[in-house]
Amino acid sequence: MNTVRSLLRRDAGYAALRRSVRAAIVAPGLFALTRAITDSPVVPLFAAFGSIGLLLFVEFGGPMRDRLTEQSALIVTGAVLISLGTLVSREVWLSTVATAVVAFLVLFSGVVSSALAGASTSLLVSFILSTTLPGSVDAIPDRLAGWGLAGAASLLAIRFLWPSPVREPLRTATASACGALAAQLRAEADCVLRGFVTADRTALGSVVDEAKGAVTSLRDTFFATPYRPTGLSTSTRVLIRLVDEVLLLATILDRAPVGERTGPTDVIVCGVKTAASDLLEASAELLGASDDSDPGGLAPLQERLVQARSTMENAVTAFRPMTATTGHDAERSPAEGRGERTATRFVSSLEPSFRAQEMSFAVSAIARNVDLVLAARRRTLWQKITGRRPEGAASTLASAQERAGAHAERHSVWLHNSVRGAISLALAVLVAELSGVQHSFWVAFGTLAVLRSSAVLTGQNSLRAIAGTTVGIVVGGGLIYLVGSNTTFLWILLPIAVLFMGFAPATISFAAGQAGFTVSILILFNLLQPTGWTVGIVRIEDVAIGCAVSVVVGLLFWPRGAASVLGHALAEGFSESSRYLRGAIDYGVTRCDGLVRTAPVPDAERYRAAGAARRLDDAFRGFLAERGTKHLSLTDVTTLVTAVAVLRLTADAVLDLWERETPSAADRTAARAEIDRAGDVLVTWFETTAKALTGVGEVPEARLKDTAADERLIGAVERDLGDEENRRSSTAIRVVWTADHIEAARRLQQGVLGPARAVARLQREHNARLRLFRPS
């Protein structure tokens, strides 16, 4: 009893047990039914394999209507692949080429949707089974009949047989994090307004800890699956963007904790925080609600935050510590140098308002995307089918093209996996056909079962697969030998074997799952055509051939493993995100200076940065899923991945800052030069670091804050800040805030330094090992 409880604890939410119970009921029942109503051995075979493929190898999430829709699409697509596989099955070269093409398309299509990625095994099973069992056009109806019966039974099982509860862990975790961050903002404002009394400081510490825990839970939920949890639906696509923005907000609040130093803008800044807290709390409630309520209540709160931010932007110049154009400074002592006085006091006075502006940008973006998520989910089925989308959301086709384009790049983990998987399966089909094995589809299944992210671990899974198959043959062969011709006993054992086959991989081991699979197939084949235990010996030979193919292709196409690929993905992420930030800075500073032509909006840079972020996400998930010893600290890797996201979203914030500003006609050449200089230094550091992450060069020391640059910048905009009518000071404030964004990105360097050097060291060692195997 304790053993059973221990196994169930490993099965979160009983997901594996649920799938296994369904398959254990449906597959044997459908197998028995089709054997009774037809003399064809093909219909029962495809009905049994179809039931296993549609119930064990895939499980869609979300509301029941979405699950049934996605399952129906899977059934139809599988039927198409079965027909295609049958048509090419009689010619070896044709089936080999078709397998390569179909496998690549199925595997690579997962980049646009986690639902497609999760269904790839089921789709490949349907094609491989049909192409490795030679048949004419006349065989297609029987094969489709078996698959269609399995599909219909799977729909009924999903709907009525222990239906999965509607769980949307990512949406729930996002709502919880939003609520916790809203509480933190409110507690910060209360603490400042009440003068930092002891009770408020204690309460703030507790709220901050809760917020950090909620954000950590969100990050863990986001990376808990081997696939990026995206989809073709608008609501799912926007939800992923929402996660990035929540993590950015948490980073902003974490790097700017509330201090006890008071300033003249405290009340106004607290007003912005309170408005942001109300908006964020309302967004969390709507996102966490189960009925997808009308988000119209967010509009007044969004407008209130916009007004609070505008009031703050207009008011901060009233507290400037100098009036430069009038030539007087009432509070200035003779001993104080003018440059030091200007730089130190003014930058200090603007710091709280900049943090409030940065925070309010993140909260506004979160609220807009919550609106989009809920608007997309409230659409009718017909509106979804016809492609009607909420205003501001990209089309499904455009989004799919963008994602696929982001991975059509030689460093893409997904592209590597797709090419390697396609060649492995095609080679397995070719070897099986040329070697004349008795059951060629086991060769392809053996290849499919053990494909992993590196050649070393593919080899480890090959050994597990062969070991599990051997155990299954010993157990299944012994059972068949004992029962002899007593098929009644085999019928009793079949559901138990299927149950174990589905439950074992998640709770015991990969090898145990292979053993259960072998026992199930031995029983199925002996019920179809009694041949005894010798069919198992044939299968172990076939699986061994398939495993060998997988290992060879893994050595040829990806001998590096997940850690090395992660280093290259991090390098791309830092390089592209810093260039995007450079483009956003160029756009902003040219809008503030009337003497130069405004730079274009950096759309191309934004696209490349987003693509690099997607490739990094896949590489990080591969690193998390990689078995074996990891030579990189998970904390270090997470720090680097977060830094890439913060750089990219900082560029978004700079664009938002200047897109709301009317282009200026004033001469701000000096200010533009200072911002350009700071941006160039920042981008150079991150690009040098990016090269080091590929094993080329060293990670440079973190740049120290240039206090002289503050003085020069304030001197450059001093005239505008002294404008008594505040006609030019709004633009000048944005110039200073742009410098603050650059400074915030510079502060990332200190946290990035150690982890980046660890990755760079491993990459250099890896490159050195590779050179040993290359000719001079």
Side-chain angles (χ1 to χ4, degrees), residues 396-467:
T396 298
L397 179 59
S399 179
Q401 289 175 337
E402 183 179 349
R403 291 181 200 166
H407 287 276
E409 199 272 346
R410 65 190 182 93
H411 289 136
S412 168
V413 175
W414 209 290
L415 182 64
H416 287 188
N417 277 336
S418 301
V419 171
R420 190 165 53 89
I423 293 178
S424 296
L425 291 172
L427 187 59
V429 170
L430 178 63
V431 169
E433 295 293 341
L434 295 180
S435 62
V437 297
Q438 183 176 351
H439 299 292
S440 58
F441 58 85
W442 289 125
V443 178
F445 281 0
T447 303
L448 180 63
V450 300
L451 282 174
R452 287 298 185 270
S453 63
S454 69
V456 173
L457 294 176
T458 295
Q460 292 175 0
N461 283 284
S462 298
L463 295 176
R464 295 189 185 104
I466 295 172

Side-chain angles (χ1 to χ4, degrees), residues 252-561:
I252 292 171
L253 297 183
D254 186 54
R255 72 186 178 207
V258 174
E260 295 194 12
R261 185 181 62 183
T262 59
T265 60
D266 284 349
V267 174
I268 297 174
V269 168
C270 288
V272 175
K273 284 190 174 183
T274 302
S277 174
D278 292 341
L279 176 57
L280 192 58
E281 187 176 54
S283 300
E285 291 176 356
L286 290 172
L287 190 62
S290 59
D291 58 352
D292 295 327
S293 308
D294 184 0
L298 290 182
L301 295 174
Q302 287 173 317
E303 181 60 29
R304 178 184 161 201
L305 177 58
V306 170
Q307 291 176 354
R309 183 168 60 187
S310 178
T311 299
M312 180 187 69
E313 291 174 356
N314 293 331
V316 288
T317 54
F319 301 101
R320 56 186 179 272
M322 72 284 182
T323 50
T325 55
T326 58
H328 67 271
D329 187 345
E331 298 180 2
R332 180 182 171 198
S333 66
E336 292 174 318
R338 180 178 180 82
E340 186 277 332
R341 175 73 171 176
T342 300
T344 303
R345 292 194 61 186
F346 183 73
V347 171
S348 178
S349 69
L350 278 184
E351 180 73 13
S353 62
F354 165 69
R355 296 302 170 200
Q357 183 273 334
E358 190 182 25
M359 173 274 300
S360 66
F361 160 75
V363 173
S364 296
I366 289 170
R368 286 195 299 270
N369 282 317
V370 168
D371 267 346
L372 284 177
V373 168
L374 299 179
R377 294 177 67 91
R378 290 198 315 276
R379 291 175 300 167
T380 64
L381 180 60
W382 175 250
Q383 288 174 329
K384 292 180 181 179
I385 293 174
T386 56
R388 182 177 178 183
R389 61 185 187 276
E391 184 179 353
S395 68
T396 298
L397 179 59
S399 179
Q401 289 175 337
E402 183 179 349
R403 291 181 200 166
H407 287 276
E409 199 272 346
R410 65 190 182 93
H411 289 136
S412 168
V413 175
W414 209 290
L415 182 64
H416 287 188
N417 277 336
S418 301
V419 171
R420 190 165 53 89
I423 293 178
S424 296
L425 291 172
L427 187 59
V429 170
L430 178 63
V431 169
E433 295 293 341
L434 295 180
S435 62
V437 297
Q438 183 176 351
H439 299 292
S440 58
F441 58 85
W442 289 125
V443 178
F445 281 0
T447 303
L448 180 63
V450 300
L451 282 174
R452 287 298 185 270
S453 63
S454 69
V456 173
L457 294 176
T458 295
Q460 292 175 0
N461 283 284
S462 298
L463 295 176
R464 295 189 185 104
I466 295 172
T469 301
T470 303
V471 172
I473 289 169
V474 172
V475 174
L479 290 173
I480 292 170
Y481 178 78
L482 290 175
V483 301
S485 59
N486 187 355
T487 57
T488 301
F489 191 62
L490 291 180
W491 282 111
I492 295 173
L493 288 176
L494 181 58
I496 300 174
V498 173
L499 178 67
F500 183 82
M501 172 180 62
F503 189 62
T507 56
I508 303 176
S509 68
F510 175 73
Q514 285 293 107
F517 197 39
T518 300
V519 172
S520 301
I521 301 308
L522 281 173
I523 296 173
L524 282 173
F525 269 74
N526 276 277
L527 288 173
L528 276 175
Q529 296 176 340
T531 55
W533 59 271
T534 55
V535 69
I537 298 299
V538 174
R539 192 203 165 199
I540 199 172
E541 296 172 354
D542 298 346
V543 169
I545 293 174
C547 293
V549 168
S550 183
V551 171
V552 170
V553 175
L555 287 169
L556 291 177
F557 283 88
W558 196 2
R560 297 179 300 173

Side-chain angles (χ1 to χ4, degrees), residues 763-775:
Q763 288 291 75
R764 289 195 298 272
E765 294 173 357
H766 171 75
N767 292 346
R769 287 194 299 270
L770 285 184
R771 283 193 290 270
L772 294 177
F773 297 97
R774 292 174 180 168

